[in-house]
Amino acid sequence: MPSHSSNARTPSTISPPAALSSWLNVEGSLTAILEAKSGQPLRVERCFEGYRLLSLAQKKQLGMSVKQYNRPILAWVREAKLYGDSEQPWVWAQSVFPLPSLQGSAKRLQQLKGTPIGYVLFKRRRTLPHQRFISHTEQGWQRQTRYDWYGRRLLISETFLPDFLSRLDKC
């Protein structure tokens, strides 16, 4: 199945630094390319893992129907800092798995612990159908990607942090 990608930018008066643009738009596993850059496996420091209600923005990004907007929908959420080869985190990541998507073998997504999500999502395929949103937040440049993983929709947000950006400037 071919990969489908569409990029949507949040209206903004600023653009990402040129060196970061390719990272924001990379296809496939961000985990794999971050590990290639650091020369070692990523270290995952979980900050939160548990159930949360989906926000309206998340429901829209997940492509849920309008009739679901006012209904409470639970998701399994994992928030983590990703470390390359330094003491400072490179990326802040949030993985959102709506409970309806956690059926059958997808239940293992609740058991990731310190495993990077890329190891699971891209185990059998180099790319997945997705839709990406890029924005600038208070924390930094962020890519939010809605993946279609074997018919299940997941939302992965990755924010590139100052230590990672300072490394790009040195290249």
Side-chain angles (χ1 to χ4, degrees), residues 27-155:
E27 297 290 323
S29 173
L30 181 63
T31 299
I33 64 165
L34 287 170
E35 288 184 342
K37 181 165 183 61
S38 71
Q40 64 187 39
L42 287 183
R43 182 170 60 91
V44 176
E45 178 185 315
R46 291 177 291 162
C47 303
F48 174 82
E49 195 168 32
Y51 295 103
R52 283 197 184 144
L53 289 173
L54 290 173
S55 69
L56 178 59
Q58 289 168 328
K59 290 175 186 178
K60 288 178 178 180
Q61 287 175 314
L62 285 161
M64 293 185 169
S65 68
V66 173
K67 67 182 180 181
Q68 294 176 301
Y69 286 0
N70 292 324
R71 291 190 192 149
I73 298 175
L74 270 180
W76 183 259
V77 177
R78 180 176 81 157
E79 295 175 347
K81 295 176 187 172
L82 307 179
Y83 293 80
D85 61 357
S86 69
E87 294 300 314
Q88 296 300 314
W90 284 8
V91 173
W92 178 85
Q94 181 188 61
S95 304
V96 177
F97 312 116
L99 289 194
S101 293
L102 291 175
Q103 305 298 319
S105 62
K107 287 181 183 179
R108 71 178 181 242
L109 295 173
Q110 290 179 282
Q111 310 300 322
L112 291 173
K113 297 185 170 72
T115 302
I117 185 69
Y119 288 3
V120 177
L121 292 185
F122 299 98
K123 184 175 184 177
R124 293 193 177 99
R125 297 169 73 179
R126 291 184 59 140
T127 61
L128 294 169
H130 68 277
Q131 184 175 22
R132 180 156 299 143
F133 307 90
I134 295 171
S135 61
H136 190 263
T137 69
E138 289 180 18
Q139 293 77 34
W141 283 97
Q142 180 181 77
R143 62 185 229 159
Q144 291 184 298
T145 310
R146 181 185 74 202
Y147 288 104
D148 180 351
W149 186 63
Y150 300 103
R152 295 169 176 92
R153 289 193 174 172
L154 318 169
L155 185 62

